[in-house]
Amino acid sequence: MLTIKEAKKGVDEKEFSVSELVSHFRSRMEERKDINAIISSFDDSSSGKGELYGAVLVVKDNILVKGEKCTAASQMLESYEAPFSATVVNKLKEKGAVIIGKANMDEFAMGSSTETSFFGPTKNPLSPYLVPGGSSGGSAAAVMGGMCNAALGSDTGGSIRQPASFCGLVGMKPTYGAVSRNGLIAMSSSFDQIGPLTRNVEDAEMVFNAIYGKDEHDSTTVDFPLLKERGSRIGVPKEYFTDGMDKGVREVIDKAISKIESEVVEISLPNTEYALPAYYIIMASEVSSNMARFDGLRYGSCSRSRDILESYINSRGDYLGSEVKRRIILGTYSLSSGYYDAYYLQAQKVRNIISRDFEKAFQEVDFILTPTTPVLPFAIGERIDDPVSMYLADVFTVTANLAGLPAISLPCGERDGLSVGAQLIAPRFYERSLFREAEKLERLWKD
Amino acid sequence: MLNDIEKTVTLSRVKAKDEVRDVSRILSYVEKLKSVDTSQTEPLFHFPETSNSVREDAYKHTSPQVRKMMTCMREEEGEFLRVSSILC
């Protein structure tokens, strides 16, 4: 189970070649077909040079790779072939990486367990009855299952960090605007970010370094500013330690925090309880807009009908899954005349209030530390019929998306053979400091 | 509320049945947002570092990938693409 750094060393020192690595990982995909982590796999060759020469990745199947199918795990795009590659894919390849597969995910990235995929659920490599988390569950399972040495996921409300926590990996969501979304099938455009899932923090930083940067094809990207390092004062928000948390998770997190040598203080993020409802309204509103393009005409599957209106209704009804439909309907409702002010506008104002809570907290502390998720990985089928209970798995991760902050999840301990993740959050564009501090915590928690 | 959600289903242009009841439950969960005093707050639509990105208003030839994307449309008649009847 090689890290990127180990693979790079092996390739540089001619112990093995990239094509041998690719063969090895593709055999591994065959062996572990039971996990159902991969939707499609293909060969790839390296440019032969660069910081990621030796890196073999899979990317979530909502990230376009030219010439390969890109399904977003939906029947709607079952046969869609990507006409161009995402900016992040081009950047990875320029740096010597190879991409050998498209990872399973919740349909259109809507879910927290990789159970809404048209291609069936992905299983957690740590235990086949449990979910790997979502929506980047396939990406996480592929790395943990030894099918690649790193993966790209996308994170809208926790979809990189939560599966990282459930699968014992490092998962990182960059600052909103740090990484281009060109070539990412849009879910919620003011929240989505692409980021790495890796075996350690060092690898996550290597992947981030390859993919970040201003892109003329994504006007929400910015020139990454050079900022000085932050100190090591860590704030633990009391609102993230509620009664609803799993006792086992709570004990592991408390123990991990007690080991931290630098200063740890209790802080308050007073509007935390409004984060999940605000997130769901804004996210669903943006989803309803982004999903309008799937009309059965331009691309994707189509249900032929006598007129265009029926064609839209039937195509979208037949080829989109229930969770996608729920969010489209919720979003359309929130944006409709008579409800826009009470739902969408109100949610965006609450978003501002939550963002300001973080700004205030970051004046007192350098980083904020929380559990990544309040629960251990749950059983496949346990929450799928209760949408609100599923949404609660994201309660600690959505705040970083609302405020556009960089956040990383890393393993901090184990309970009953399952990994527990802790989340570290920094102010916008403080990725360098975030990685430094995360590496320190990783060393501390390794035992 | 259920009536309004059903009207929304029509607006959403998506055939749905069981999802209506679920959406009603989700709306009940998010009701608590209304209790937050936002009278002195602006909405956060964009992050401060984002600025408008513009280019010259000049014609660029259609890239080959646009033609490729359009081949997903099922029926062509010369330069035109056939769709279902628009008048219902």
Side-chain angles (χ1 to χ4, degrees), chain A residues 81 276 296-298 304 308-309 313 316 318 322 325-326 332 339 343 346 348 352 386 428, chain B residues 4 12-13 15 19 22 25 29 31 33 36 38 42 44 47 49 53 68 72-75 85:
Chain A
E81 189 184 296
L276 199 61
L297 291 180
R298 275 164 262 252
R304 283 293 193 202
I308 208 155
L309 181 60
I313 291 168
R316 287 155 65 77
D318 292 341
S322 287
K325 289 196 246 187
R326 273 192 278 272
T332 309
Y339 293 114
Y343 288 97
Q346 177 70 355
Q348 288 283 30
N352 201 356
D386 183 356
R428 286 168 60 70
Chain B
D4 280 348
S12 306
R13 303 294 190 239
K15 195 168 57 179
E19 291 84 3
D22 292 329
R25 288 176 55 207
Y29 172 69
E31 278 302 300
L33 273 184
V36 183
T38 55
E42 290 299 305
L44 183 62
F47 295 109
E49 305 87 357
S53 182
K68 181 156 202 283
C72 293
M73 296 280 273
R74 259 153 293 275
E75 288 168 52
S85 157

Side-chain angles (χ1 to χ4, degrees), chain A residues 2-266:
Chain A
L2 293 172
T3 62
I4 296 178
K5 195 173 175 192
E6 286 162 351
K8 183 162 169 48
K9 185 164 184 284
V11 162
D12 286 341
E13 291 173 5
K14 305 226 189 302
E15 276 177 52
F16 42 77
S17 65
V18 168
S19 56
E20 281 168 337
L21 273 178
V22 167
S23 287
H24 162 75
F25 284 128
R26 292 200 70 194
S27 305
R28 186 82 185 143
M29 284 178 183
E30 261 312 299
E31 281 165 38
R32 295 313 317 259
K33 253 189 143 102
D34 57 297
I35 294 180
N36 198 31
I38 303 294
I39 291 178
S40 60
S41 72
F42 35 85
D43 275 323
D44 191 19
S45 56
S46 169
S47 62
K49 51 181 169 49
E51 306 89 271
L52 292 185
Y53 181 47
V56 180
L57 291 100
V58 304
V59 303
K60 189 174 182 181
D61 204 16
N62 57 358
I63 297 172
L64 269 60
V65 174
K66 184 174 179 173
E68 302 297 341
K69 292 252 167 62
C70 195
T71 68
S74 179
Q75 194 178 9
M76 176 61 86
L77 293 180
E78 199 180 356
S79 325
Y80 177 67
E81 189 184 296
F84 63 95
S85 282
T87 298
V88 293
V89 166
N90 290 332
K91 283 179 161 236
L92 284 172
K93 292 199 58 65
E94 276 162 31
K95 300 278 178 10
V98 296
I99 293 167
I100 61 164
K102 307 303 290 307
N104 200 12
M105 51 184 281
D106 279 300
E107 187 183 3
F108 284 106
M110 299 183 206
S112 307
S113 61
T114 313
E115 290 177 280
T116 67
S117 167
F118 174 65
F119 301 102
T122 296
K123 297 174 183 173
N124 192 320
L126 301 174
S127 165
Y129 306 106
L130 303 181
V131 301
S135 58
S136 309
S139 299
V143 178
M144 200 46 177
M147 300 174 216
C148 53
N149 47 31
L152 287 188
S154 71
D155 191 309
T156 304
S159 289
I160 288 174
R161 292 162 285 153
Q162 186 252 44
S165 176
F166 278 12
C167 291
L169 296 171
V170 171
M172 185 257 180
K173 181 200 84 69
T175 303
Y176 182 85
V179 175
S180 174
R181 293 175 297 112
N182 174 240
L184 170 70
I185 296 177
M187 179 189 158
S188 181
S189 307
S190 78
F191 293 137
D192 295 344
Q193 274 292 281
I194 295 173
L197 284 124
T198 55
R199 307 194 79 88
N200 61 22
V201 175
E202 187 176 38
D203 277 5
E205 188 169 15
M206 283 175 81
V207 174
F208 173 77
N209 285 342
I211 62 174
Y212 84 94
K214 191 169 169 66
D215 180 16
E216 61 165 354
H217 298 295
D218 176 358
S219 58
T220 60
T221 54
V222 297
D223 279 313
F224 203 89
L226 204 60
L227 299 168
K228 60 181 188 6
E229 289 275 334
R230 291 181 82 71
S232 275
R233 194 157 192 256
I234 291 178
V236 175
K238 59 184 186 199
E239 293 84 1
Y240 284 59
F241 289 81
T242 54
D243 293 333
M245 251 176 90
D246 183 286
K247 255 187 73 188
V249 171
R250 179 72 193 255
E251 282 168 15
V252 172
I253 295 279
D254 282 346
K255 189 173 174 202
I257 292 174
S258 69
K259 291 183 180 176
I260 297 174
E261 289 149 355
S262 53
E263 195 183 356
V264 178
V265 297
E266 189 186 69

